[in-house]
């Protein structure tokens, strides 16, 4: 798609990720997409990240390296500058696969009512070796309160929805993407799943995803999001006031949603997904519940 191609803006927030930033940027810039706006917001890194950006600066619409308030603050800065019809968010340790932008643009152009397009997401390690693919199912707003089937790198948002709901919340550290999807769903967003594998999420020791289940802050944010959206996506009964009961409810519904997810995966793809031993080691034992990864 070249004629009348919608403009795609990609925002990459980064801090101290020089080891992976080049691969992330190249996966954006080497797409060969004609209407691309790339924005990189670095938080004042001292590890050589600025040199990585400067090497590619002639193909970047805007970049800055300055102290910020964290990832969500960097995203807000970048998205405020984005002028594209379609907005993507790629963390500095993740990558897009070739052809992702052309495919996403084609879907948005063909389906004007769609607000969010999401595909499947690969899993890579620190060396960039691919260990599996985490398949998506159709977004379900009620189940999304407990477990969202979207992995952040694989999702693209139409500008009108960004303008309606704003960027990810700056006060969230672990669940800013999940809360963003819920906010869109509560605002009536139309989600469209496609079978294409659009991106890859990199698991390594420094990723929040690999350690979040061990963090008390993750559980606090999960409880906050549950309480915020319960009335929009609840099960028809009052949310327990006791925090331990809420944690138990969330754990039970999370397990139920994951099992249901696997049965839907079978309907869509003809087999259960599973986490291979190599992926399980990369993700960490504490994150074992992230079903949906297959070799």
């Amino acid at each position: 798609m070249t004629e009348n191609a919608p403009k795609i803006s990609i925002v990459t927030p980064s801090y101290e990720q020089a080891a992976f930033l080049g691969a992330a940027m190249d996966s954006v810039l080497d797409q060969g997409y004609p209407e691309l706006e790339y924005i990189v917001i670095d938080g004042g890194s001292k590890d050589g990240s600025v040199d990585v950006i400067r090497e590619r600066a002639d193909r970047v619409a805007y970049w800055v390296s300055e102290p910020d308030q964290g990832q969500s603050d960097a995203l807000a800065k970048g998205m405020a500058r984005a002028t594209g019809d379609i907005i993507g968010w790629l963390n500095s340790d993740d990558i897009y696969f070739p052809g992702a932008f052309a495919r996403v643009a084609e879907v948005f152009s063909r389906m004007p009512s769609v607000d969010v397009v999401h595909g499947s997401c690969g899993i890579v390690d620190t060396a960039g070796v691919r260990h599996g693919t985490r398949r998506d199912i159709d977004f379900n707003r009620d189940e999304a309160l407990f477990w969202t089937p979207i992995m952040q790198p694989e999702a693209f948002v139409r500008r009108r929805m960004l303008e309606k709901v704003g960027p990810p919340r700056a006060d969230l550290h672990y669940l800013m993407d999940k809360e963003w999807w819920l906010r869109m769903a509560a605002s009536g967003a139309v989600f469209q799943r496609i079978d294409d594998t659009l991106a890859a999420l990199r698991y390594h020791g420094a990723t929040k995803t690999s350690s979040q289940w061990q963090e008390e802050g993750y559980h606090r944010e999960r409880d906050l999001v549950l309480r915020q959206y319960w009335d929009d996506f609840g099960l028809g009964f009052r949310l327990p006031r006791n925090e331990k009961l809420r944690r138990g409810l969330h754990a039970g519904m999370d397990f139920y949603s994951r099992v249901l997810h696997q049965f839907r995966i079978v309907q869509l793809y003809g087999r259960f997904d599973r986490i291979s031993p190599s992926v399980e080691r990369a993700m960490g034992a504490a994150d074992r519940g992230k079903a949906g990864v297959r070799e």
Side-chain angles (χ1 to χ4, degrees):
M1 174 182 290
T2 56
E3 189 174 343
N4 299 320
K7 186 177 182 179
I8 296 180
S9 297
I10 303 297
V11 177
T12 291
S14 183
Y15 181 67
E16 303 288 343
Q17 290 283 355
F20 307 120
L21 179 58
M25 293 186 67
D26 290 344
S27 77
V28 175
L29 297 170
D30 292 346
Q31 290 280 322
Y33 187 76
E35 293 294 327
L36 173 65
E37 177 183 62
Y38 191 26
I39 298 168
V40 181
I41 309 295
D42 181 77
S45 298
K46 305 298 184 183
D47 67 341
S49 292
V50 172
D51 293 331
V52 173
I53 299 171
R54 281 181 176 148
E55 290 173 358
R56 300 158 174 83
D58 61 329
R59 295 189 288 163
V60 174
Y62 175 82
W63 73 274
V64 68
S65 181
E66 63 185 13
D68 55 38
Q69 301 303 310
Q71 183 181 25
S72 296
D73 183 40
L75 284 168
K77 288 181 182 179
M79 290 183 183
R81 287 185 169 272
T83 61
D85 306 297
I86 301 165
I87 313 297
W89 151 22
L90 185 75
N91 288 334
S92 52
D93 48 0
D94 299 332
I95 58 172
Y96 287 122
F97 287 130
F101 296 175
R103 174 63 173 137
V104 166
E106 184 272 325
V107 175
F108 274 115
S109 297
R110 180 167 46 85
M111 307 179 74
S113 65
V114 167
D115 298 300
V116 181
V117 171
H118 59 104
S120 296
C121 192
I123 306 295
V124 299
D125 61 19
T126 55
V129 177
R130 188 169 170 180
H131 290 273
T133 301
R134 196 268 205 181
R135 302 292 184 187
D136 270 10
I137 61 174
D138 293 331
F139 184 91
N140 182 295
R141 53 172 281 158
D142 297 323
E143 296 167 13
L145 182 60
F146 300 98
W147 188 66
T148 308
I150 298 176
M151 297 190 81
Q152 170 266 315
E154 70 189 36
F156 295 79
V157 179
R158 201 183 289 272
R159 162 163 292 281
R160 69 183 178 217
M161 184 52 57
L162 174 63
E163 293 174 345
K164 187 174 184 179
V165 304
R169 280 177 51 172
D171 60 327
L172 297 180
H173 180 64
Y174 295 98
L175 296 179
M176 73 280 277
D177 52 345
K178 175 175 180 173
E179 191 279 332
W180 204 33
W181 312 135
L182 289 172
R183 201 185 330 154
M184 291 181 197
S187 297
V190 176
F191 291 76
Q192 179 63 46
R193 176 189 59 81
I194 60 177
D195 290 338
D196 304 68
T197 303
L198 301 174
L201 187 149
R202 191 187 306 271
Y203 278 93
H204 56 92
T207 57
K208 288 186 287 187
T209 310
S210 66
S211 60
Q212 67 183 22
W213 287 65
Q214 298 172 317
E215 299 288 343
E216 184 61 29
Y218 166 78
H219 292 289
R220 284 197 299 269
E221 289 189 11
R222 188 176 69 172
D223 188 60
L224 183 152
V225 171
L226 183 68
R227 288 184 284 111
Q228 178 179 348
Y229 289 98
W230 181 262
D231 290 339
D232 291 313
F233 307 100
L235 299 178
F237 58 87
R238 183 171 297 178
L239 183 67
R241 294 184 178 181
N242 183 278
E243 182 179 351
K244 289 184 177 180
L245 290 178
R246 289 198 301 271
R247 283 198 182 190
L249 171 66
H250 200 297
M253 290 303 300
D254 180 86
F255 176 78
Y256 167 78
S257 297
R258 291 175 190 278
V259 171
L260 188 61
H261 172 91
Q262 288 297 317
F263 280 105
R264 288 180 177 161
I265 287 290
V266 171
Q267 291 177 326
L268 288 169
Y269 302 107
R271 55 158 287 175
F272 284 108
D273 280 356
R274 66 181 180 84
I275 299 177
S276 69
S278 58
V279 175
E280 187 169 1
R281 286 193 298 271
M283 293 170 70
D287 206 10
R288 197 169 290 148
K290 285 191 174 295
V293 178
R294 71 179 181 86
E295 293 190 302

